[in-house]
Amino acid sequence: MKSDRFERWLQNIYNTQDEELSCSECFDLVSHFVEVELSGTDPAVKMPKVKQHLGQCHACHAEYETLRDLQRLENEGRLPSLDDLQNLIH
Amino acid sequence: MSEARTNQEWLHDLNASGATQEAAIADLRDLLLRAALYFFSRNPGDFERNNGDEITQRAEDCAQDALIAVMNHLSDFRGDSKFSTWAYKFAINIALMAARRERWKGVSLDELASTGESDFLESKIQDHSDGAAPEASAMQGEVRKIIQAVIKHELTDKQRYVISMMVFNEVPLDEVVRHFGTNRNAVYKMLHDARRKIKSSLQEHGFEVGEMLSLFGSSG
């Protein structure tokens, strides 16, 4: 475990709440969270429990980041075509 | 085209019949396939042992599974986001699990678990002590002992296993889920409970967050 990971883990320990959202609850809310964020509002203010879970759960955070970036591309009319995406992985 | 549909149009068309529904499903499947491919393209390290055709096929499978999931959950859509945002998350969730499974295929978690977490933790904390002032070094040693004691004496076997896997060995949540034959919520709860115990013990010993992070060199 590199030192920065250890520090992040300490941060996670101290950011631990008695009650936290489950992964399922986060999944239910994350699309709204992304919508709020892309509208220009700070989603951490409106949905702090989702933000807290995303800070603790690598899996949910990875999904959130992908969803946010993909939706941003769609909103900007830059959603990659299937051909573009297939070229990227070949 | 799919992007032109409003949320209401998506729901109407997907719940329709005949050609209207078929066209909507085809458009939805196209979006879900893009989401899966997009996730895979951002995580090339998960597919180092696969060629492009295999990755494409995996994305097709994910899109199909996601299509079924979306159709099964249509009544759950509350309209608090764009329909595409809501639908994408199913494909991304399924793609992430498939990608992590591919990366960790053949890795024995039990062998990883045999890594002495206390020794590992000790060595890593010791890294921070090098060159530190004697007082800070002594405090770091105290923190190490507290964390090790909680892990050894206060965590359940499963909590200890989850900490060892996910924190010390960076095993993805979904691989631990698969190992236990359970679900994300259950494993997350184990990790959450372990964090609560460690936090509580550190606070009982007078270590608060600001002090801890400055002690270990974090800017916070």
Side-chain angles (χ1 to χ4, degrees), chain A residues 35-86:
Chain A
E35 192 84 4
V36 169
E37 181 173 352
L38 294 182
S39 75
T41 302
D42 182 358
V45 174
K46 190 169 182 180
M47 306 173 78
K49 289 185 176 179
V50 176
K51 179 73 173 179
Q52 196 272 345
H53 182 91
L54 293 174
Q56 296 284 2
C57 182
H58 290 177
C60 291
H61 193 267
E63 292 176 10
Y64 148 71
E65 283 190 322
T66 307
L67 182 62
R68 178 200 60 199
D69 294 349
L70 186 62
Q71 192 58 53
R72 181 178 286 139
L73 289 173
E74 183 184 299
N75 290 353
E76 294 171 352
R78 298 191 297 121
L79 194 64
S81 70
L82 285 177
D83 285 344
D84 289 341
L85 289 165
Q86 284 170 340

Side-chain angles (χ1 to χ4, degrees), chain B residues 98-114:
Chain B
R100 301 300 187 250
R101 179 80 283 273
E102 193 61 40
R103 177 191 278 262
W104 286 82
K105 188 187 294 181
V107 176
S108 166
L109 298 197
D110 286 334
E111 284 182 17
L112 279 180
S114 67

